[in-house]
Amino acid sequence: MTTAKPTRQDLTNRVSLTGKVTVNPVFGLVAPVTGQVRYVTVTTPTSTPTKPTKVATVVAKGKSHVVNVPAGAIFTGRLADDRSTVQAGMPIVSAKHVGYGIVADIDGAQAYKISGALSTVRAQITNGPGPFTCNVLGTIAALPGGVIPDPPAQQPDPSASPSAPPVVKAPQQNTTPSEPTGMRVVCIAPASVTLINGAAVTIEVVTESATNVLVLPVEAVAGGQGKGQVEVVRPDGTHETREVVLGLTDGKVIQIKSGLTEADTVMVPGPDLPPAQTTGEQGGPGVVVTK
């Protein structure tokens, strides 16, 4: 019989993602509050912006909340109708980072785990630099296709002389609206990290951390989703199946929030259903098949 005793340690829950280095990745910006979105006309830049670009405001309870595309990125589309009501956290603008980025696709289960943990992201390039801190851009939500409206038509100047030559505007660089994307993490490596387009990357997101918590090997615990059972060995050698409340896990140990103390001893592996027994050639327990 193998046994284990609960111990205390710091515990971190991580989600690992597979990504790659990408040129000019698209990311989404969300509404900061629930309210009415009001877009502003954005002039196509002639060079990479070095300052944030105001692209919209969300008006709620008479107060305007500004939405800016960060420096180093350009506006690539509206994701909602102008003056429509949007919810807080809903993607309303798409933007394109100019230069190298790291992109990792995620699924729905991973999205709910990491949605509130994007401030702690590290990356490791396969057979390359790392690990290093990766600065996340925008949201992980899937994006619809972006829309860039035509600029307003130029109105003639009524004070201009009829014989004056028409004013010719300098041509502007065209910006292509963004295409739809799935759920993904987009982050930017430090400038000192050498990147190669298409290189494979492993991204690690720290979702939760706990300090000096009670843990057991995962093999000693049956159950999940916050509830479990362990097989406690009493001092007289008899056994007791006990309910426990579970917390974080790193895949090797799992946090025991309540139900055990450091003085307890548990069996490894944990409790499980007994194997099915048959009393005949066919059928389940208690079923006898006669010929």
Side-chain angles (χ1 to χ4, degrees), residues 64-283:
S64 295
H65 302 263
V66 177
V67 179
N68 289 325
V69 169
I74 60 175
F75 167 76
T76 54
R78 302 177 179 181
L79 306 181
D81 294 330
D82 190 30
R83 296 185 177 270
S84 62
T85 299
V86 295
Q87 296 180 340
M90 173 181 169
I92 58 173
V93 171
S94 64
K96 180 173 65 176
H97 173 74
V98 180
Y100 282 123
I102 295 173
V103 178
D105 294 328
I106 61 177
D107 59 32
Q110 292 171 322
Y112 282 99
K113 289 181 180 179
I114 69 176
S115 60
L118 290 179
S119 60
T120 51
V121 177
R122 291 173 65 78
Q124 169 71 60
I125 298 176
T126 303
N127 299 321
F132 51 83
T133 300
C134 206
N135 181 34
V136 176
L137 295 177
T139 178
I140 64 172
L143 308 180
V147 175
I148 300 179
D150 294 330
Q154 184 179 9
Q155 299 296 324
D157 184 358
S159 63
S161 169
S163 59
V167 176
V168 179
K169 281 191 172 183
Q172 292 185 337
Q173 177 184 355
N174 293 326
T175 300
T176 303
S178 61
E179 296 182 354
T181 71
M183 291 187 293
R184 58 186 190 171
V185 173
V186 179
C187 64
I188 306 301
S192 58
V193 176
T194 301
L195 300 177
I196 300 175
N197 188 39
V201 184
T202 298
I203 295 178
E204 181 184 80
V205 182
V206 176
T207 59
E208 292 181 84
S209 296
T211 303
N212 195 33
V213 294
L214 203 65
V215 299
L216 275 176
V218 293
E219 296 85 0
V221 182
Q225 302 297 321
K227 297 181 180 180
Q229 292 182 338
V230 295
E231 193 78 8
V232 177
V233 182
R234 298 189 183 101
D236 62 3
T238 59
H239 296 174
E240 169 198 354
T241 300
R242 188 179 299 177
E243 302 284 339
V244 292
V245 177
L246 307 177
L248 305 181
T249 179
D250 62 359
K252 297 180 180 179
V253 297
I254 188 167
Q255 178 186 4
I256 307 298
K257 289 187 172 181
S258 64
L260 289 177
T261 69
E262 292 171 89
D264 290 314
T265 301
V266 301
M267 290 186 61
V268 182
D272 201 354
L273 293 176
Q277 296 180 353
T278 60
T279 56
E281 295 182 4
Q282 299 177 15

Side-chain angles (χ1 to χ4, degrees), residues 13-87:
N13 195 11
R14 296 177 170 89
V15 174
S16 184
L17 307 172
T18 300
K20 64 179 180 179
V21 178
T22 304
V23 175
N24 301 336
V26 172
F27 61 96
L29 301 172
V30 302
V33 295
T34 297
Q36 185 186 79
V37 60
R38 298 178 183 177
Y39 292 103
V40 301
T41 301
V42 180
T43 303
T44 304
T46 57
S47 61
T48 303
T50 57
K51 297 180 180 180
T53 303
K54 180 180 177 181
V55 293
T57 58
V58 178
V59 181
K61 298 180 180 180
K63 184 178 180 180
S64 295
H65 302 263
V66 177
V67 179
N68 289 325
V69 169
I74 60 175
F75 167 76
T76 54
R78 302 177 179 181
L79 306 181
D81 294 330
D82 190 30
R83 296 185 177 270
S84 62
T85 299
V86 295
Q87 296 180 340

